[in-house]
Amino acid sequence: MKIKLKDGSVKAYSKSMRAIDIAMDISEGLGRAACAAEVNGEIVDLRTMIDSDVNLNIITAKDPEGLRVIRHTASHVMAEAVKRLFPEAKVTIGPAIEDGFYYDFDSKPFSREDLDAIEAEMAKIIKEGHEITRFTLPRDEAIKFMQDRNEPYKVELIEDLPEGAEISFYDQGGFVDLCAGPHLMSVKGVKAFKLTSSSMAYWRGDSSKARLQRIYGSAFDKKDDLKAYLTRLEEAGMRDHNRLGREMEIFTTVDVIGQGLPLIMPKGTKIIQKLQRWIEDLEDYEWGYVRTRTPFMAKSNLYKLSDHWFHYKDGMFVLNDDLMSEEEAIEDQKLYSDPAYAMKNASDKVYLDRNGREVMAMRPMTCPFQYFVYKAKQHSYRDLPYRMGETSTLFRNEDSGEMHGLTRVRQFTISEGHLVCTPEQIADEFKNCVKLAKYTLTTLGLEGDVWYRMSKWDPKNPDKYLGTAEDWDRVQGAMREILDDIGLEYTEADGEAAFYGPKLDIQAKNVYGKEDTMITIQLDMFLSERYDMYYIDENGDKRRPYIIHRTSMGCYERTLAWLIEHYAGKLPTWLCPEQVRILPISDKYSDYAKKVFKEFRAHNVDVTVDSRPEKIGFKIREARLNRIPYMVVVGADEEKNRTVSVRSRFAGDEGVKPLDEFINALDEEIRTKAIREEIKQEESKS
């Protein structure tokens, strides 16, 4: 057999060989460094027997796939350590993830002391140096194998595997785990690891299933790489909005209120207020939007018209569910799949709960409401594009395991908009939505954090979407043409589209590397028919419009979290809830401090006076800890000369300045939403 290597060279062998043996034959050093193999483009175990002509690439820790194998093996070592220390714990799943690994256990919660003990036990296991072997079992034997070990979660996983699936196990010196692999040849290959945290999770991510305990960790081939990662993690922790947001009194959470329902405190509310006023004025006065205000809830009929009820009900807060049997619900969905029937019967059909109340749900999106704003009067082609904007509070029933600070919550507010266009207008309007999103990102100083993704449908699961394959090819082709015409660099991702159309998603990562969608712009060429939307064209005929769903800045809560982490809490002056703090040297200058305060307030500056009987050095230090952009010290000379002594968190002591001159400069900085050069330099370093 002939083995074609990555460099193009070919090795010939007269008999079947394992991938690890071929690696050792190529080079003993390569064999020792090998983590896995890539055979004809597929990552496989080094134990894989090769018996025909193939393309072969030996994967080492220098490759991302090699690190994943190290981390996956580390997760199994951790599971063995947990079972040794906590025999009553039940194992579930333990995958490698982008920056490390985790394993979920049905167990008591783990403390930091527990994690330290588990780490120590992992070190013992690695020192024992057991080889890792792989074996397979038929389905019935595999189930019995895990039943005998009292591992019910593994039994469930095996039972859910399709008939005929290969069921493989890995044994590392007595600890055996159900796993598809690949794994290292020995536990000795786990050389540098650290358990970083633990948290609660749900079995299979379902809040109705068992509560589990998840342990996170990371592993590297070299201790220096682990040390660098832990340093980055520590720096990320210093920027984590969950910590800073509470420390800065921007938001808090309360168990009795509920997970994913943060309380935005006065300082956080002030920041969001500034963002909201800016976005609303920007959209209305510079981009030609009309503003709407629509209900937070509606009858289930509304969501059935759009198909949201049938595609998204599990993610909605349904206030009182209907009494339909499963068969009746299926029939109901079939009826609503006919737009003509839906529009004719939606208003008349009444769905009641067991108490005779109409079935209602909190809105997870605003589009159906704004469509009826459009439909309230007849429109001609001269009225289009008709751009509707709304500061929309939405409600989504996220899984408990997905909740995180302000980035993923159950009630949130977005800068939502829907543009009703003629087919001829759709390209220009979409381009303008991209331009507006880029402008907001640039103004906020976040443009360098993002990348762009064209989110497409999944042709393997057409039932998840409206329309036909031909419809999706046409719409996605139109979006691709628009993006290419803009010259936008973007990736493409199957299965990330909304059920009614493809999206341009503007993506970013938080300080820990978790990816989120910050802004989205969607093409919708289907829902106008379902809501019987039309306009009168130049010939007097009714025509279906196209619709763009978009946000200009995205979710206010998520953007606030993003800003806190990006700037490590030191926001640009215009966004700060407290922009200036006046520090009188003593009580004798309180009257002048009050006069200065009134001058700032007259220019709409958010200003406070620290009139406490503390030393001025203490007041300055505290203001700096509070991340106040400007401190103005006032005393005898300042009162006499109508000046202020300015200190900033940007440049330290900026000297004595005439009051009017400083106010005018500050007013200009706030008005233009400037980001001072010192902030940019600090960000470039981080």
Side-chain angles (χ1 to χ4, degrees):
M1 62 182 179
K2 294 181 180 180
I3 309 298
K4 186 176 181 180
L5 303 178
K6 187 177 181 181
D7 63 2
S9 62
V10 176
K11 301 276 286 185
Y13 299 96
S14 59
K15 62 178 182 179
S16 300
M17 295 181 70
R18 296 182 305 168
I20 183 62
D21 297 325
I22 295 174
M24 293 296 289
D25 183 62
I26 295 169
S27 158
E28 190 173 331
L30 179 63
R32 287 197 303 269
C35 298
E38 183 181 13
V39 178
N40 294 334
E42 180 184 356
I43 305 298
V44 299
D45 205 285
L46 286 168
R47 301 162 190 79
T48 300
M49 189 65 70
I50 297 174
D51 55 9
S52 61
D53 295 351
V54 296
N55 294 325
L56 176 68
N57 178 29
I58 301 300
I59 302 297
T60 72
K62 294 179 181 179
D63 303 301
E65 298 88 351
L67 269 182
R68 289 187 69 83
V69 174
I70 291 173
R71 290 164 177 170
H72 192 181
T73 303
S75 77
H76 280 227
V77 173
M78 179 177 72
E80 180 177 1
V82 169
K83 290 292 288 185
R84 285 186 179 187
L85 296 174
F86 307 95
E88 73 285 355
K90 307 300 179 200
V91 292
T92 64
I93 58 170
I97 53 178
E98 185 172 356
D99 286 325
F101 59 88
Y102 70 80
Y103 210 115
D104 289 347
F105 303 91
D106 190 340
S107 170
K108 72 173 187 66
F110 296 103
S111 66
R112 181 66 247 182
E113 290 74 19
D114 292 332
L115 299 190
D116 293 340
I118 294 166
E119 278 186 6
E121 194 64 31
M122 289 175 69
K124 290 180 185 177
I125 293 168
I126 293 165
K127 190 174 181 179
E128 291 167 10
H130 294 292
E131 288 190 8
I132 302 174
T133 58
R134 180 180 184 272
F135 65 92
T136 62
L137 289 174
R139 184 187 194 84
D140 290 345
E141 290 183 32
I143 290 173
K144 185 175 186 306
F145 186 82
M146 280 303 174
Q147 285 175 336
D148 290 346
R149 282 158 177 75
N150 193 22
E151 296 292 358
Y153 296 96
K154 296 295 183 180
V155 172
E156 181 179 330
L157 289 172
I158 296 169
E159 290 174 339
D160 286 349
L161 290 173
E163 291 290 339
E166 183 178 69
I167 302 172
S168 59
F169 297 83
Y170 283 82
D171 184 338
Q172 53 194 48
F175 175 76
V176 181
D177 204 353
L178 171 74
C179 187
H183 281 282
L184 298 174
M185 299 299 290
S186 163
V187 295
K188 289 189 293 185
V190 181
K191 300 171 184 176
F193 65 92
K194 180 69 178 176
L195 303 186
T196 53
S197 64
S198 63
S199 66
M200 188 274 289
Y202 287 108
W203 173 231
R204 294 187 157 181
D206 187 340
S207 60
S208 67
K209 297 184 184 298
R211 290 167 65 99
L212 306 174
Q213 302 303 318
R214 175 173 295 179
I215 300 177
Y216 286 99
S218 194
F220 291 84
D221 187 47
K222 298 177 181 177
K223 290 184 178 180
D224 285 347
D225 292 340
L226 175 63
K227 184 178 179 181
Y229 168 75
L230 293 175
T231 299
R232 291 197 304 273
L233 203 63
E234 185 178 353
E235 291 171 351
M238 298 298 290
R239 287 175 173 264
D240 186 349
H241 83 277
N242 253 322
R243 183 184 70 83
L244 283 179
R246 289 172 169 81
E247 180 184 302
M248 296 171 65
E249 299 178 1
I250 287 174
F251 78 99
T252 189
T253 52
V254 181
D255 288 343
V256 74
I257 291 175
Q259 196 178 12
L261 298 170
L263 299 175
I264 309 298
M265 298 176 75
K267 291 179 180 178
T269 302
K270 175 66 77 171
I271 298 169
I272 289 178
Q273 181 187 60
K274 292 180 180 191
L275 290 168
Q276 181 178 333
R277 287 176 175 175
W278 168 53
I279 288 295
E280 289 181 349
D281 288 347
L282 183 67
E283 290 178 347
D284 298 355
Y285 297 113
E286 297 187 35
W287 291 86
Y289 283 72
V290 295
R291 195 141 297 276
T292 66
R293 185 177 176 88
T294 56
F296 286 0
M297 68 183 77
K299 298 192 296 185
S300 61
N301 306 53
L302 179 71
Y303 308 112
K304 291 180 178 182
L305 278 171
S306 64
D307 235 28
H308 280 101
W309 189 261
F310 307 111
H311 284 89
Y312 203 75
K313 183 184 176 185
D314 288 345
M316 296 169 64
F317 286 103
V318 179
L319 301 183
N320 26 56
D321 214 339
D322 57 49
L323 300 174
M324 285 187 182
S325 66
E326 185 176 347
E327 293 75 15
E328 289 172 326
I330 292 171
E331 185 61 30
D332 193 47
Q333 182 174 2
K334 287 180 182 177
L335 292 173
Y336 270 93
S337 67
D338 177 0
Y341 168 87
M343 279 305 302
K344 183 178 180 181
N345 294 278
S347 298
D348 298 331
K349 198 162 185 177
V350 178
Y351 300 87
L352 301 177
D353 71 355
R354 60 178 50 86
N355 295 311
R357 297 172 300 189
E358 282 192 293
V359 177
M360 308 282 286
M362 305 300 288
R363 66 179 185 186
M365 73 297 293
T366 310
C367 44
F369 298 86
Q370 287 197 328
Y371 293 166
F372 279 96
V373 171
Y374 174 84
K375 283 170 58 69
K377 58 178 286 189
Q378 182 169 285
H379 295 272
S380 82
Y381 69 97
R382 294 187 180 89
D383 301 322
L384 305 188
Y386 189 72
R387 309 180 187 99
M388 293 174 283
E390 181 165 339
T391 302
S392 304
T393 299
L394 305 178
F395 306 85
R396 295 185 183 174
N397 194 7
E398 301 278 7
D399 288 334
S400 295
E402 295 295 317
M403 300 296 104
H404 179 69
L406 296 177
T407 58
R408 192 165 291 275
V409 291
R410 286 176 169 154
Q411 176 184 311
F412 56 95
T413 303
I414 66 173
S415 56
E416 194 165 17
H418 297 89
L419 292 76
V420 185
C421 315
T422 68
E424 297 78 17
Q425 295 167 337
I426 196 78
D428 284 343
E429 289 301 308
F430 195 94
K431 291 175 185 177
N432 282 337
C433 289
V434 176
K435 189 182 295 184
L436 174 57
K438 282 188 163 188
Y439 174 78
T440 61
L441 290 171
T442 301
T443 303
L444 293 171
L446 301 173
E447 72 282 1
D449 291 0
V450 305
W451 64 97
Y452 298 84
R453 182 184 76 193
M454 179 179 165
S455 298
K456 304 183 296 182
W457 82 319
D458 181 1
K460 297 178 182 177
N461 293 287
D463 292 343
K464 291 171 56 179
Y465 306 90
L466 296 177
T468 64
E470 291 74 19
D471 291 330
W472 280 89
D473 287 343
R474 175 173 52 86
V475 177
Q476 290 177 168
M479 177 178 282
R480 193 177 289 110
E481 188 175 323
I482 292 169
L483 299 180
D484 291 343
D485 192 47
I486 294 172
L488 196 70
E489 292 186 15
Y490 61 94
T491 60
E492 297 190 12
D494 288 339
E496 296 293 338
F499 69 85
Y500 50 80
K503 305 182 291 178
L504 175 65
D505 287 325
I506 302 179
Q507 304 292 108
K509 291 183 178 180
N510 70 8
V511 289
Y512 297 108
K514 185 181 183 302
E515 182 178 338
D516 277 308
T517 298
M518 308 310 296
I519 297 174
T520 188
I521 305 168
Q522 305 174 10
L523 273 182
D524 171 11
M525 301 187 186
F526 303 118
L527 292 186
S528 64
E529 180 180 7
R530 296 191 66 83
Y531 283 93
D532 192 27
M533 298 168 68
Y534 65 88
Y535 66 93
I536 306 300
D537 70 10
E538 57 269 33
N539 299 316
D541 297 325
K542 288 184 177 181
R543 293 187 64 188
R544 297 287 183 209
Y546 289 172
I547 302 168
I548 297 172
H549 305 236
R550 49 99 279 181
T551 56
S552 53
M553 189 192 62
C555 167
Y556 284 96
E557 290 84 357
R558 186 174 290 179
T559 299
L560 178 53
W562 191 11
L563 287 164
I564 292 169
E565 294 188 349
H566 179 89
Y567 291 110
K570 298 177 182 178
L571 302 177
T573 304
W574 74 276
L575 279 173
C576 287
E578 184 180 356
Q579 295 160 329
V580 176
R581 185 174 292 180
I582 302 168
L583 310 176
I585 290 176
S586 72
D587 286 346
K588 291 191 295 183
Y589 308 107
S590 293
D591 288 343
Y592 182 57
K594 292 175 183 177
K595 290 178 182 178
V596 172
F597 174 86
K598 289 180 180 178
E599 293 273 5
F600 280 118
R601 291 301 296 159
H603 286 77
N604 297 319
V605 174
D606 287 307
V607 58
T608 61
V609 178
D610 186 348
S611 56
R612 294 175 299 168
E614 301 283 356
K615 291 183 178 180
I616 194 67
F618 175 84
K619 292 182 179 181
I620 291 172
R621 284 192 299 274
E622 189 171 85
R624 292 184 65 182
L625 287 172
N626 292 162
R627 300 172 178 83
I628 310 301
Y630 293 99
M631 297 142 271
V632 294
V633 180
V634 295
D637 290 342
E638 287 79 14
E639 183 175 27
K640 177 181 177 182
N641 300 312
R642 191 175 157 78
T643 59
V644 288
S645 180
V646 180
R647 299 185 67 87
S648 73
R649 61 170 163 80
F650 313 105
D653 188 352
E654 296 194 9
V656 176
K657 298 182 180 182
L659 177 58
D660 292 337
E661 178 184 308
F662 176 65
I663 288 177
N664 289 336
L666 180 61
D667 189 48
E668 179 72 4
E669 181 181 340
I670 293 170
R671 184 186 62 79
T672 60
K673 300 174 177 59
I675 300 174
R676 283 193 56 160
E677 195 61 36
E678 293 87 349
I679 294 182
K680 295 178 182 177
Q681 291 172 2
E682 189 172 330
E683 286 306 304
S684 66
K685 291 177 185 176
S686 66

